[in-house]
Amino acid sequence: MPRHDAGADVAFLLQLAKSAGAAILPWFRGNLAVHNKDAAGFDPVTEADKAAARAMRRLIERRYPDDGIFGEEYGEKPSRSGRRWVRDPVDGTRAFICGLPTWMTLIVLVVDEKPVAGAAHQAFVGETFVGSPSGAFVIRRGKRTPLRVSPAASLCEARGGTTNPNLYRQEPGVTVYARLRDRLRN
């Protein structure tokens, strides 16, 4: 197997995303136990996170047994191939446990310490965003559409947003975010 075959890697990213979504959706807006990983604060993890991490790990180990795997749920499996799959099954766990559809499954393939392809999958909404050296696209309702940058010529003509501005409470983030927010067309 080549170290990086963009087409095969993107196809496998989509397979991982689909398997994660299938493992997560039965838990979304259901009876869900939430465990806190941070004794000094609140860093939630759910069975949905763990089920999706296990589903993705099984697929990776079956197809690419020498590849590394990294994720919060089960630690790191070292790579023997120079390839590593970094994934966050439910990025936005707080939104997930509140029943808000602003969480995503994030998956990145890293080859020789460089990210080469990634996917952001929102199973409930049914959208998957993919980026690789061959381009970026979204799959929505089975249709693949290329992504492109905004035609805005400057920030004052561009739009932007964030799920939680409180993420930028400490310097320099608070200042950078405020300057960006004030320049955007919102």
PDB file of all heavy atoms in Angstrom, residues 155-156 174-186:
ATOM      1  N   LEU A 155     -12.021  41.857   4.239  1.00  0.00           N
ATOM      2  CA  LEU A 155     -12.739  41.353   5.414  1.00  0.00           C
ATOM      3  C   LEU A 155     -14.066  42.071   5.621  1.00  0.00           C
ATOM      4  O   LEU A 155     -15.041  41.454   6.029  1.00  0.00           O
ATOM      5  CB  LEU A 155     -11.882  41.499   6.672  1.00  0.00           C
ATOM      6  CG  LEU A 155     -10.817  40.449   6.886  1.00  0.00           C
ATOM      7  CD1 LEU A 155     -10.003  40.754   8.139  1.00  0.00           C
ATOM      8  CD2 LEU A 155     -11.438  39.068   7.000  1.00  0.00           C
ATOM      9  N   CYS A 156     -14.136  43.346   5.331  1.00  0.00           N
ATOM     10  CA  CYS A 156     -15.389  44.075   5.566  1.00  0.00           C
ATOM     11  C   CYS A 156     -16.503  43.611   4.635  1.00  0.00           C
ATOM     12  O   CYS A 156     -17.668  43.917   4.868  1.00  0.00           O
ATOM     13  CB  CYS A 156     -15.177  45.585   5.478  1.00  0.00           C
ATOM     14  SG  CYS A 156     -14.702  46.180   3.857  1.00  0.00           S
ATOM     15  N   VAL A 174      -8.665  36.953  22.733  1.00  0.00           N
ATOM     16  CA  VAL A 174      -9.799  37.864  22.876  1.00  0.00           C
ATOM     17  C   VAL A 174      -9.608  39.098  21.993  1.00  0.00           C
ATOM     18  O   VAL A 174     -10.546  39.555  21.343  1.00  0.00           O
ATOM     19  CB  VAL A 174     -10.040  38.240  24.358  1.00  0.00           C
ATOM     20  CG1 VAL A 174      -8.907  39.069  24.932  1.00  0.00           C
ATOM     21  CG2 VAL A 174     -11.360  38.960  24.520  1.00  0.00           C
ATOM     22  N   THR A 175      -8.402  39.613  21.934  1.00  0.00           N
ATOM     23  CA  THR A 175      -8.137  40.797  21.115  1.00  0.00           C
ATOM     24  C   THR A 175      -8.199  40.464  19.628  1.00  0.00           C
ATOM     25  O   THR A 175      -8.803  41.199  18.841  1.00  0.00           O
ATOM     26  CB  THR A 175      -6.750  41.381  21.465  1.00  0.00           C
ATOM     27  OG1 THR A 175      -6.719  41.671  22.859  1.00  0.00           O
ATOM     28  CG2 THR A 175      -6.474  42.643  20.674  1.00  0.00           C
ATOM     29  N   VAL A 176      -7.595  39.364  19.236  1.00  0.00           N
ATOM     30  CA  VAL A 176      -7.604  38.961  17.826  1.00  0.00           C
ATOM     31  C   VAL A 176      -9.031  38.708  17.365  1.00  0.00           C
ATOM     32  O   VAL A 176      -9.451  39.180  16.300  1.00  0.00           O
ATOM     33  CB  VAL A 176      -6.714  37.719  17.601  1.00  0.00           C
ATOM     34  CG1 VAL A 176      -6.893  37.179  16.198  1.00  0.00           C
ATOM     35  CG2 VAL A 176      -5.267  38.066  17.872  1.00  0.00           C
ATOM     36  N   TYR A 177      -9.816  37.980  18.178  1.00  0.00           N
ATOM     37  CA  TYR A 177     -11.198  37.696  17.795  1.00  0.00           C
ATOM     38  C   TYR A 177     -12.010  38.992  17.698  1.00  0.00           C
ATOM     39  O   TYR A 177     -12.775  39.186  16.751  1.00  0.00           O
ATOM     40  CB  TYR A 177     -11.857  36.727  18.777  1.00  0.00           C
ATOM     41  CG  TYR A 177     -13.315  36.519  18.457  1.00  0.00           C
ATOM     42  CD1 TYR A 177     -13.690  35.774  17.350  1.00  0.00           C
ATOM     43  CD2 TYR A 177     -14.311  37.102  19.233  1.00  0.00           C
ATOM     44  CE1 TYR A 177     -15.022  35.602  17.018  1.00  0.00           C
ATOM     45  CE2 TYR A 177     -15.647  36.930  18.910  1.00  0.00           C
ATOM     46  CZ  TYR A 177     -15.998  36.184  17.810  1.00  0.00           C
ATOM     47  OH  TYR A 177     -17.321  36.027  17.482  1.00  0.00           O
ATOM     48  N   ALA A 178     -11.853  39.901  18.656  1.00  0.00           N
ATOM     49  CA  ALA A 178     -12.600  41.158  18.641  1.00  0.00           C
ATOM     50  C   ALA A 178     -12.259  41.981  17.393  1.00  0.00           C
ATOM     51  O   ALA A 178     -13.154  42.540  16.750  1.00  0.00           O
ATOM     52  CB  ALA A 178     -12.315  41.961  19.909  1.00  0.00           C
ATOM     53  N   ARG A 179     -10.984  42.044  17.045  1.00  0.00           N
ATOM     54  CA  ARG A 179     -10.583  42.793  15.845  1.00  0.00           C
ATOM     55  C   ARG A 179     -11.178  42.158  14.591  1.00  0.00           C
ATOM     56  O   ARG A 179     -11.665  42.863  13.707  1.00  0.00           O
ATOM     57  CB  ARG A 179      -9.058  42.862  15.747  1.00  0.00           C
ATOM     58  CG  ARG A 179      -8.461  43.855  16.726  1.00  0.00           C
ATOM     59  CD  ARG A 179      -6.949  44.051  16.622  1.00  0.00           C
ATOM     60  NE  ARG A 179      -6.333  43.622  15.388  1.00  0.00           N
ATOM     61  CZ  ARG A 179      -5.200  42.914  15.334  1.00  0.00           C
ATOM     62  NH1 ARG A 179      -4.589  42.550  16.439  1.00  0.00           N
ATOM     63  NH2 ARG A 179      -4.682  42.577  14.172  1.00  0.00           N
ATOM     64  N   LEU A 180     -11.138  40.847  14.507  1.00  0.00           N
ATOM     65  CA  LEU A 180     -11.705  40.149  13.352  1.00  0.00           C
ATOM     66  C   LEU A 180     -13.211  40.368  13.284  1.00  0.00           C
ATOM     67  O   LEU A 180     -13.760  40.750  12.247  1.00  0.00           O
ATOM     68  CB  LEU A 180     -11.383  38.661  13.417  1.00  0.00           C
ATOM     69  CG  LEU A 180     -11.980  37.789  12.315  1.00  0.00           C
ATOM     70  CD1 LEU A 180     -11.446  38.212  10.947  1.00  0.00           C
ATOM     71  CD2 LEU A 180     -11.690  36.329  12.586  1.00  0.00           C
ATOM     72  N   ARG A 181     -13.909  40.151  14.402  1.00  0.00           N
ATOM     73  CA  ARG A 181     -15.375  40.308  14.462  1.00  0.00           C
ATOM     74  C   ARG A 181     -15.776  41.722  14.045  1.00  0.00           C
ATOM     75  O   ARG A 181     -16.750  41.899  13.289  1.00  0.00           O
ATOM     76  CB  ARG A 181     -15.848  40.034  15.883  1.00  0.00           C
ATOM     77  CG  ARG A 181     -17.349  40.167  16.074  1.00  0.00           C
ATOM     78  CD  ARG A 181     -17.735  40.305  17.530  1.00  0.00           C
ATOM     79  NE  ARG A 181     -17.137  41.516  18.053  1.00  0.00           N
ATOM     80  CZ  ARG A 181     -16.534  41.605  19.244  1.00  0.00           C
ATOM     81  NH1 ARG A 181     -16.459  40.572  20.043  1.00  0.00           N
ATOM     82  NH2 ARG A 181     -16.009  42.736  19.642  1.00  0.00           N
ATOM     83  N   ASP A 182     -15.045  42.724  14.486  1.00  0.00           N
ATOM     84  CA  ASP A 182     -15.396  44.114  14.181  1.00  0.00           C
ATOM     85  C   ASP A 182     -15.165  44.481  12.725  1.00  0.00           C
ATOM     86  O   ASP A 182     -15.730  45.448  12.234  1.00  0.00           O
ATOM     87  CB  ASP A 182     -14.629  45.068  15.103  1.00  0.00           C
ATOM     88  CG  ASP A 182     -15.075  44.943  16.550  1.00  0.00           C
ATOM     89  OD1 ASP A 182     -16.141  44.346  16.812  1.00  0.00           O
ATOM     90  OD2 ASP A 182     -14.334  45.424  17.432  1.00  0.00           O
ATOM     91  N   ARG A 183     -14.346  43.708  12.019  1.00  0.00           N
ATOM     92  CA  ARG A 183     -14.061  44.003  10.613  1.00  0.00           C
ATOM     93  C   ARG A 183     -14.962  43.231   9.659  1.00  0.00           C
ATOM     94  O   ARG A 183     -15.089  43.596   8.505  1.00  0.00           O
ATOM     95  CB  ARG A 183     -12.602  43.701  10.307  1.00  0.00           C
ATOM     96  CG  ARG A 183     -11.683  44.681  11.061  1.00  0.00           C
ATOM     97  CD  ARG A 183     -10.285  44.691  10.569  1.00  0.00           C
ATOM     98  NE  ARG A 183     -10.205  45.074   9.164  1.00  0.00           N
ATOM     99  CZ  ARG A 183      -9.182  44.783   8.393  1.00  0.00           C
ATOM    100  NH1 ARG A 183      -8.185  44.091   8.879  1.00  0.00           N
ATOM    101  NH2 ARG A 183      -9.151  45.156   7.144  1.00  0.00           N
ATOM    102  N   LEU A 184     -15.584  42.168  10.128  1.00  0.00           N
ATOM    103  CA  LEU A 184     -16.424  41.343   9.263  1.00  0.00           C
ATOM    104  C   LEU A 184     -17.780  41.980   9.006  1.00  0.00           C
ATOM    105  O   LEU A 184     -18.282  42.757   9.821  1.00  0.00           O
ATOM    106  CB  LEU A 184     -16.653  39.965   9.893  1.00  0.00           C
ATOM    107  CG  LEU A 184     -15.452  39.049   9.970  1.00  0.00           C
ATOM    108  CD1 LEU A 184     -15.779  37.832  10.816  1.00  0.00           C
ATOM    109  CD2 LEU A 184     -14.996  38.636   8.584  1.00  0.00           C
ATOM    110  N   ARG A 185     -18.377  41.619   7.897  1.00  0.00           N
ATOM    111  CA  ARG A 185     -19.735  42.062   7.553  1.00  0.00           C
ATOM    112  C   ARG A 185     -20.711  41.095   8.216  1.00  0.00           C
ATOM    113  O   ARG A 185     -21.007  40.045   7.706  1.00  0.00           O
ATOM    114  CB  ARG A 185     -19.897  42.018   6.042  1.00  0.00           C
ATOM    115  CG  ARG A 185     -21.280  42.320   5.569  1.00  0.00           C
ATOM    116  CD  ARG A 185     -21.338  42.139   4.070  1.00  0.00           C
ATOM    117  NE  ARG A 185     -22.734  41.940   3.689  1.00  0.00           N
ATOM    118  CZ  ARG A 185     -23.090  41.245   2.651  1.00  0.00           C
ATOM    119  NH1 ARG A 185     -22.200  40.668   1.896  1.00  0.00           N
ATOM    120  NH2 ARG A 185     -24.360  41.122   2.353  1.00  0.00           N
ATOM    121  N   ASN A 186     -21.211  41.450   9.353  1.00  0.00           N
ATOM    122  CA  ASN A 186     -22.149  40.561  10.065  1.00  0.00           C
ATOM    123  C   ASN A 186     -23.501  41.201  10.245  1.00  0.00           C
ATOM    124  O   ASN A 186     -23.731  42.312  10.175  1.00  0.00           O
ATOM    125  CB  ASN A 186     -21.610  40.159  11.432  1.00  0.00           C
ATOM    126  CG  ASN A 186     -20.533  39.096  11.298  1.00  0.00           C
ATOM    127  OD1 ASN A 186     -20.568  38.303  10.393  1.00  0.00           O
ATOM    128  ND2 ASN A 186     -19.584  39.123  12.187  1.00  0.00           N
TER     129      ASN A 186
END
